[in-house]
């Protein structure tokens, strides 16, 4: 059966001498693996650069529920109306802006690759990721550096592991293991990180402006939230792209 679907590239690995197997998040089918035959050949109709991390594609695929590896009939860049950056930045500023965008995209890609499973489709999550990618195409602003942290928290809601925002004076420390605020314990964040997490959760739930937390505190919270994901999602394993993100945001 043939099916048309928007799709986002999560991960690719080389297959044979000329082909690629890609893990792709499709809007209609969820996460699926596809083989792109001959894509690494010179002159291939499908260009390998179309399979970059979080490339937004329109695909026509063979949907066979009896196999874990399917084939692609057609592929093209998605015809999106996302705004393109228009800026009077200097060349150096443009390079820096592009580096930030790339670091955020690689961070999002690794997070999605490690957390999304080949299960039912989640069209709301797909649309949210596209929305974030469109925001990254807007002229660079301070809110771009807020995106990784907000993305982690929003993703946690779709994964069913959202931190409970029960912050109060008597329970001011967020516990990574229990996923809620409580009194100080062995797996709680420090007071500053806990307050920052509460502020971000409040902003997310009420569509309010992000807190003006210093960069060092946001980096620390990203690292601790990666520990949180690792505790609550089996197979999460090691994570590396946050180190690049931290370096670029400096």
């Amino acid at each position: 059966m043939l099916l048309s679907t928007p799709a986002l590239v999560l991960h690719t690995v080389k297959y044979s001498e000329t082909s690629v197997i890609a893990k792709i998040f499709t809007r209609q089918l969820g996460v699926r693996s596809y083989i792109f035959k001959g894509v690494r050949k010179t002159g291939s109709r499908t260009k390998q650069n179309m399979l970059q991390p979080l490339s937004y594609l329109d695909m026509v695929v063979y949907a066979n529920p009896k196999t874990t590896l399917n084939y692609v009939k057609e592929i093209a860049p998605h015809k999106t109306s996302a705004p393109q950056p228009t800026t009077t930045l200097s060349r150096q500023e443009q390079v820096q802006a592009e580096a930030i965008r790339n670091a955020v995209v690689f961070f999002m890609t690794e997070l999605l690759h490690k957390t999304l499973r080949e299960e039912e489709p989640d069209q709301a999550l797909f649309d949210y990721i596209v929305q974030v990618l469109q925001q990254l195409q807007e002229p660079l602003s301070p809110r771009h550096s807020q995106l990784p942290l907000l993305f982690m928290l929003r993703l946690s809601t779709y994964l069913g592991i959202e931190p409970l925002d029960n912050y109060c004076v008597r329970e001011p420390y967020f516990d990574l293991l229990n996923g809620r605020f409580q009194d100080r314990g062995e797996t709680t964040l420090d007071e500053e990180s806990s307050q920052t997490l509460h502020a971000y959760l409040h902003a997310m739930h009420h569509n309010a402006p992000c807190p003006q937390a210093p960069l060092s505190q946001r980096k620390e919270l990203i690292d601790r939230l990666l520990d949180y994901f690792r505790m609550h999602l089996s197979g999460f394993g090691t994570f590396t792209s946050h180190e690049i993100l931290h370096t670029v945001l400096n």
Side-chain angles (χ1 to χ4, degrees):
M1 179 181 70
L2 285 174
L3 183 144
S4 298
T5 180
L8 295 163
V9 179
L10 298 181
H11 185 66
T12 61
V13 294
K14 294 178 181 178
Y15 178 73
S16 72
E17 293 184 2
T18 60
S19 302
V20 163
I21 292 176
K23 182 179 179 182
I24 292 181
F25 183 27
T26 71
R27 193 175 191 275
Q28 303 297 341
L29 299 170
V31 177
R32 292 290 186 270
S33 294
Y34 296 97
I35 182 168
F36 292 83
K37 298 188 71 173
V39 71
R40 291 160 53 213
K41 281 183 178 179
T42 302
S44 170
R45 290 178 58 188
T46 301
K47 304 301 181 184
Q48 195 170 357
N49 61 9
M50 292 174 62
L51 301 177
Q52 295 299 310
L54 288 188
S55 291
Y56 189 17
L57 306 171
D58 285 322
M59 294 172 52
V60 178
V61 301
Y62 295 94
N64 184 351
K66 296 183 179 180
T67 180
T68 58
L69 184 61
N70 281 282
Y71 290 88
V72 177
K73 185 176 188 292
E74 297 176 15
I75 178 175
H78 183 75
K79 295 179 180 179
T80 177
S81 58
Q84 297 300 312
T86 56
T87 178
T88 57
L89 297 177
S90 67
R91 176 59 181 166
Q92 182 178 357
E93 290 171 329
Q94 291 179 38
V95 170
Q96 181 183 16
E98 190 63 22
I100 291 174
R101 290 190 182 94
N102 288 338
V104 174
V105 167
F106 278 115
F107 176 80
M108 291 170 57
T109 304
E110 184 175 12
L111 199 58
L112 291 167
H113 174 56
K114 288 182 174 293
T115 58
L116 297 187
R117 304 290 181 253
E118 296 188 12
E119 298 173 350
E120 296 298 316
D122 190 334
Q123 296 183 354
L125 173 57
F126 185 95
D127 293 342
Y128 169 66
I129 298 169
V130 170
Q131 177 187 338
V132 175
L133 293 175
Q134 290 173 341
Q135 291 175 9
L136 283 170
Q137 291 303 314
E138 297 171 357
L140 195 66
S141 69
R143 72 172 183 163
H144 283 78
S145 64
Q146 304 273 12
L147 280 177
L149 189 50
L150 286 172
F151 184 76
M152 293 186 79
L153 293 176
R154 191 69 77 175
L155 178 61
S156 73
T157 68
Y158 291 104
L159 298 174
I161 60 168
E162 179 185 356
L164 177 64
D165 189 19
N166 63 309
Y167 177 90
C168 65
V169 174
R170 290 190 302 173
E171 296 180 312
Y173 299 96
F174 182 75
D175 186 81
L176 294 171
L177 187 60
N178 295 322
R180 54 168 294 151
F181 290 87
Q182 60 177 51
D183 199 0
R184 185 185 291 274
E186 293 184 2
T187 54
T188 55
L189 301 180
D190 61 33
E191 184 175 4
E192 186 178 30
S193 293
S194 295
Q195 290 178 350
T196 303
L197 175 59
H198 163 61
Y200 272 94
L201 288 170
H202 182 271
M204 182 179 73
H205 290 147
H206 297 87
N207 291 318
C210 292
Q212 298 301 312
L215 180 59
S216 59
Q217 186 57 43
R218 281 182 274 137
K219 289 180 179 179
E220 173 68 17
L221 190 52
I222 285 175
D223 291 347
R224 298 291 71 78
L225 285 175
L226 287 173
D227 292 335
Y228 177 73
F229 274 60
R230 196 172 290 111
M231 287 180 181
H232 294 273
L233 297 172
S234 62
F236 189 80
T238 58
F239 200 92
T240 60
S241 61
H242 65 300
E243 298 174 356
I244 299 173
L245 180 70
H246 291 343
T247 300
V248 171
L249 291 180
N250 273 333

